[in-house]
Amino acid sequence: MATGRNHRPATRSRGIPEATVARLPLYLRALTALSERSVPTVSSEELAAAAGVNSAKLRKDFSYLGSYGTRGVGYDVEYLVYQISRELGLTQDWPVAIVGIGNLGAALANYGGFASRGFRVAALIDADPAMAGTPVAGIPVQHADDLDRIISENGVSIGVITTPPGAAQQVCDRLVAAGVTSILNFAPTVLSVPEGVDVRKVDLSIELQILAFHEQRKAGEDGVDTAPDPAAPPVRATTTGRKGPDGDMPAVMPA
């Protein structure tokens, strides 16, 4: 998942690198699954495989938390769940506001995983007057005209933007002005935010395009014809200003 333009790469107050912070939720998800199966301990190799990282990187990440495991035993699952949850700030309740209650916004409102991970959907906001008062996931949608009041009354510091791209920056500006300091952006656009505001961007189309790239590469490796598209513009040789030992060096450019 890409970050917004002004997402800060600085380390956390306890000196934990951002790359490690980004992996902590992966470890927590794997550990939670182990906890639900009443697994008491786990080795670094087993946990690394479950989280999709290598074990050396996992051990390095956990060293920032002060957890080194016990030789021959591994890591205590319940303690690590608590430790990572505390480091991520998930031991407290985080009220979240979702702005833009279309199909995606409604789906997020109905997602049951927020509560178990320390987040509470406190408000749903939409610019359509016809949506006002309509319950979604048991929460009445409120009009965007009241955004400032809604954010203040619910103590929201995390906003989720699921609006069309043309409205996202204006919504972002209003959220920031109302006191929101962290934004999760699902709109396919880059947001500009002031220093001190963190943005995480989720762009499903980009992720699908990356998968399409890998599918195309795999198709080529399997012997599928990947010859140039005959409808593509022809190429012609031209010269550049660079000199080789025998004169101008040719370059291939679209005709």
Side-chain angles (χ1 to χ4, degrees), residues 166-183:
Q169 184 62 59
Q170 181 182 13
V171 167
C172 174
D173 293 343
R174 291 193 61 193
L175 285 171
V176 170
V180 169
T181 52
S182 293
I183 293 173

